[in-house]
Every structure is written in structure tokens, then in C-alpha cells.
Amino acid sequence: MTTVAENTERAELVTAVVAALSEVLGQELTGVTEETRLFDDLNLDSTSVLSLLMELEDGLDLEVDPDSLEQHHLESVGSLVGYVAEIR
């Protein structure tokens, strides 16, 4: 069972990831949910993923360890949010 604080933190992380995606893609994103797939739905590529990770590092004041990042962390907005929550 998740607490209100956990739900609030997750919602804030989703907002931060969507904002970073908007910045990287150069457009306002609407209708993005945790199920939105980064590669299939948003057409990210390896270069835009690097930009996204740098944007998240700056925006959330964290450091992504490339050794801990796996492909499944980049499947969807929700999986990326889960990864960010783990490393915070």
C-alpha cells in the first residue's frame, strides 16, 4: 500500500520527466502518462535519451550512473520515473 507522500512524490517525478521530455523534444507534450513509451510513442533515439538524462540530472539535482541504467528503465515514462525514484 502506498502512502499519500509516495503518491505525491511519484506525481512530482512524472511531472519532472514530462517537463524534461518536452525540453528535449522541443514541444509541449499533452496526454503523456506513465504508460507512454519513450521510443515507440515519443520517438526518442539514443541522442535524445542522453539529452533527457542530462536534463533530469540538472532539473532534479541527481546523478545517473550509466552502470545502473538498463534498457527496461527506458521503456516508458513510468519505468523511467521508477528508476529516478530509486536513485534519488
Side-chain angles (χ1 to χ4, degrees), residues 5-80:
E6 290 170 333
N7 286 338
T8 300
E9 179 183 3
R10 187 156 183 99
E12 289 171 357
L13 289 177
V14 169
T15 300
V17 168
V18 171
L21 283 164
S22 293
E23 185 69 29
V24 167
L25 296 173
Q27 63 185 15
E28 183 179 344
L29 298 176
T30 58
V32 174
T33 67
E34 289 197 43
E35 288 76 34
T36 301
R37 298 169 299 174
L38 299 178
F39 293 97
D40 296 335
D41 297 332
L42 298 177
N43 300 314
L44 291 187
D45 58 23
S46 58
T47 303
S48 55
V49 167
L50 289 175
S51 297
L52 173 61
L53 294 174
M54 291 188 312
E55 192 72 32
L56 288 171
E57 285 182 331
D58 292 345
L60 295 173
D61 193 31
L62 55 88
E63 187 172 328
V64 173
D65 176 8
D67 292 332
S68 71
L69 186 64
E70 297 179 11
Q71 183 63 37
H72 69 91
H73 294 127
L74 299 171
E75 288 177 2
S76 67
V77 170
S79 61
L80 182 56

